[in-house]
Amino acid sequence: MKVGIIGVGTVGASVANILRDNRDIITARAGCEITAVIGVVNDLSKKRDVTIELTDDIEKVLNDDSIDIIVELMGGIEKPYEVVKKALENGKAVVTANKALLAYHRYALQDLAGDTPFEYEAAVAGGIPIINALREGLTANNIESIRGIMNGTCNYMLTKMIKEGIDYDTILKEAKELGYAEADPTFDVGGFDAAHKLLILGSIAYGIDAKPEDILIEGIQNISPEDIDFAKEFDYSIKLLTIAKKIGNKIELRVHPALIPNSEMIAKVEGVMNGVSVIGDKVGETMYYGPGAGGDATASAVIANIVDIARRGKGSPMLGFESSNKEFLTLMPKDEIQTKYYIRLRVEDKIGVLAKVATILGEKNISIEKMIQKPLNKTCAHLLLSTHTSIEKDVIEALENIENAGAVTEKPVMIRIED
Ligand code: HSE
């Protein structure tokens, strides 16, 4: 089989070179020889560590009848969408690692692909075969929840902030220098990269056709040293968590920093690594751990899809369902989410303030679980408290009421707790 690679950056180069270097084992496993014959790049003058032919003529590759599989590694959304559509229209199988493309266009692409293989294992958690696990291995199960650490940049930053006390700006700079962050690091620290991955898993697990703007997405930008102290004091880790959870016939999809008890396996996923915990109603909890990024790890997932296509011809149903189950499961509105909350309030240290805060929380049915007060200076203190399970909109309204009542000297901060 012949493969054309559109986008020969770190991952594209790894795909070409692994197909060359591991040709014998890949041929033995696929049952036929798979060759990367050409790569498409924007700038032919840039030196690349590959031995395949390069071109800047994308149409030539898309219209080449001898090419069976297009590997799309361009990045972006609308341009790759056009390229992938054209490849499918020309009858070529497609493999992509492009999570943003899938976050917006996966259902349209599924319709367009029909029986033509369209695969995307590398789009979620890089080298971890989580798509395969959910779509094939766990197919007998109702998925009760998926909790993932699927952005290595944020996990690296939060691990360093907690373990070494390094501040946010310093560690973001370091993550950029190490090449972990996306070209625009807002995608990482703002939670969007993780959200794109979550939306893909939400489709496979539940058939939910949501877009990023439909779900709760919060980044790690506001995590402060006080929050980290609270986490340490109560034996929590802070992780950027992607959560998909079935509550009755509603599905919560959310991405946000979360406090997780250190005793949980997912809390032990540190540094740039990714981890995903899936609970199925029959299998119980299964856990997946591995590299979420990097040329060879991501290429490993791309090539797994290529081999699968070579073996089977027709792909699996792209998003895991023969027909959508949208009639049964719907997305939980953002403000109806239920979880526990950690709240940080900067207050004037004077009579009646704590009573005012407790009254406002009580009025919204929010029950306090734990609380500590940390003096900041002679007149001000931080109230750090956690709640029992509460409803998101009640917490948001209570925090607004606390602010409007003049009970705090700066905007309240809240982090959700997952235990
Ligand atoms: N920037 C991403 C991360 C790369 O940090 O995990 C893989 O999507």
Side-chain angles (χ1 to χ4, degrees):
M1 287 198 126
K2 293 194 170 27
V3 176
I5 302 172
I6 310 210
V8 189
T10 313
V11 178
S14 282
V15 170
N17 294 339
I18 294 172
L19 284 173
R20 179 196 63 205
D21 298 342
N22 285 3
R23 176 187 319 238
D24 292 348
I25 187 80
I26 290 170
T27 303
R29 288 189 169 139
C32 66
E33 192 165 321
I34 297 170
T35 315
V37 288
I38 194 155
V40 181
V41 296
N42 281 329
D43 180 2
L44 277 170
S45 66
K46 194 169 158 189
K47 190 154 170 34
R48 287 159 217 270
D49 181 23
V50 288
T51 48
I52 57 168
E53 180 190 342
L54 296 176
T55 174
D56 56 6
D57 187 351
I58 196 162
E59 292 298 322
K60 179 177 137 193
V61 175
L62 292 174
N63 292 321
D64 182 340
D65 289 336
S66 73
I67 292 178
D68 307 287
I69 301 177
I70 293 292
V71 174
E72 183 279 306
L73 300 168
M74 306 163 70
I77 300 177
E78 296 311 322
K79 183 138 188 251
Y81 187 35
E82 293 311 314
V83 166
V84 166
K85 279 198 286 190
K86 181 109 194 253
L88 291 169
E89 279 158 13
N90 287 355
K92 298 186 190 310
V94 173
V95 177
T96 183
N98 189 333
K99 59 236 158 182
L101 167 70
L102 293 165
Y104 285 94
H105 297 303
R106 62 198 179 283
Y107 282 92
L109 287 167
Q110 173 174 247
D111 288 345
L112 195 66
D115 281 345
T116 306
F118 183 106
E119 297 295 340
Y120 51 93
E121 181 64 70
V124 182
I128 302 177
I130 187 65
I131 307 283
N132 189 279
L134 272 177
R135 208 173 55 176
E136 323 288 341
L138 301 177
T139 201
N141 289 261
N142 283 300
I143 302 299
E144 291 175 357
S145 69
I146 303 170
R147 295 195 304 165
I149 293 170
M150 301 199 293
N151 185 273
T153 304
C154 288
N155 207 42
Y156 176 80
M157 291 173 63
L158 290 170
T159 304
K160 287 272 188 179
M161 286 163 76
I162 290 184
K163 297 247 147 148
E164 295 173 30
I166 303 178
D167 70 84
Y168 178 88
D169 291 328
T170 308
I171 201 64
L172 176 59
K173 189 164 165 275
E174 194 184 306
K176 279 195 223 163
E177 281 163 9
L178 288 167
Y180 295 153
E182 299 288 314
D184 174 0
T186 318
F187 272 95
D188 295 297
V189 296
F192 303 104
D193 172 81
H196 293 161
K197 296 165 182 168
L198 174 67
L199 287 164
I200 298 168
L201 298 189
S203 285
I204 301 168
Y206 304 112
I208 296 287
D209 181 5
K211 301 243 177 335
E213 45 276 23
D214 303 324
I215 67 167
L216 188 139
I217 305 173
E218 258 180 42
I220 64 166
Q221 303 97 320
N222 295 326
I223 305 285
S224 76
E226 289 81 12
D227 306 327
I228 286 174
D229 285 348
F230 178 90
K232 283 185 179 161
E233 191 143 344
F234 290 101
D235 205 18
Y236 287 118
S237 282
I238 304 183
K239 301 287 182 192
L240 181 76
L241 214 59
T242 53
I243 300 167
K245 206 183 272 183
K246 186 170 182 296
I247 314 272
N249 61 2
K250 293 252 173 73
I251 303 299
E252 287 186 359
L253 293 182
R254 48 192 165 104
V255 176
H256 52 72
L259 290 155
I260 315 173
N262 278 324
S263 55
E264 295 220 12
M265 273 172 79
I266 195 125
K268 301 185 197 324
V269 177
E270 293 191 337
V272 77
M273 299 304 275
N274 282 198
V276 190
S277 150
V278 182
I279 298 182
D281 62 345
K282 300 302 169 196
V283 71
E285 182 173 16
T286 56
M287 176 88 197
Y288 309 84
Y289 173 85
D296 284 356
T298 308
S300 158
V302 169
I303 294 172
N305 285 154
I306 295 174
V307 169
D308 198 40
I309 291 167
R311 283 171 175 158
R312 297 197 291 164
K314 176 178 176 296
S316 303
M318 182 194 148
L319 294 169
F321 289 97
E322 289 293 347
S323 60
S324 168
N325 72 345
K326 272 184 280 181
E327 301 147 54
F328 306 114
L329 299 174
T330 51
L331 186 66
M332 177 90 81
K334 293 179 211 183
D335 61 0
E336 288 175 25
I337 284 162
Q338 291 191 30
T339 187
K340 295 180 173 184
Y341 295 81
Y342 152 84
I343 294 168
R344 166 163 49 93
L345 304 171
R346 188 187 161 105
V347 295
E348 277 187 74
D349 191 0
K350 63 179 192 190
I351 293 165
V353 169
L354 182 55
K356 207 188 266 183
V357 167
T359 302
I360 294 172
L361 291 175
E363 282 164 1
K364 289 284 168 193
N365 277 321
I366 298 164
S367 165
I368 297 170
E369 184 183 54
K370 297 181 193 128
M371 203 201 77
I372 48 177
Q373 175 164 325
K374 297 222 161 181
L376 288 166
N377 53 42
K378 281 195 180 132
T379 57
C380 278
H382 266 137
L383 283 183
L384 309 175
L385 53 93
S386 62
T387 73
H388 290 287
T389 300
S390 311
I391 299 171
E392 178 93 2
K393 73 169 170 325
D394 290 341
V395 174
I396 290 171
E397 283 171 16
L399 295 185
E400 277 167 13
N401 293 348
I402 286 171
E403 204 177 352
N404 292 339
V408 286
T409 58
E410 64 183 32
K411 202 174 165 50
V413 171
M414 154 277 261
I415 303 176
R416 296 164 194 86
I417 300 174
E418 280 295 313
D419 58 8

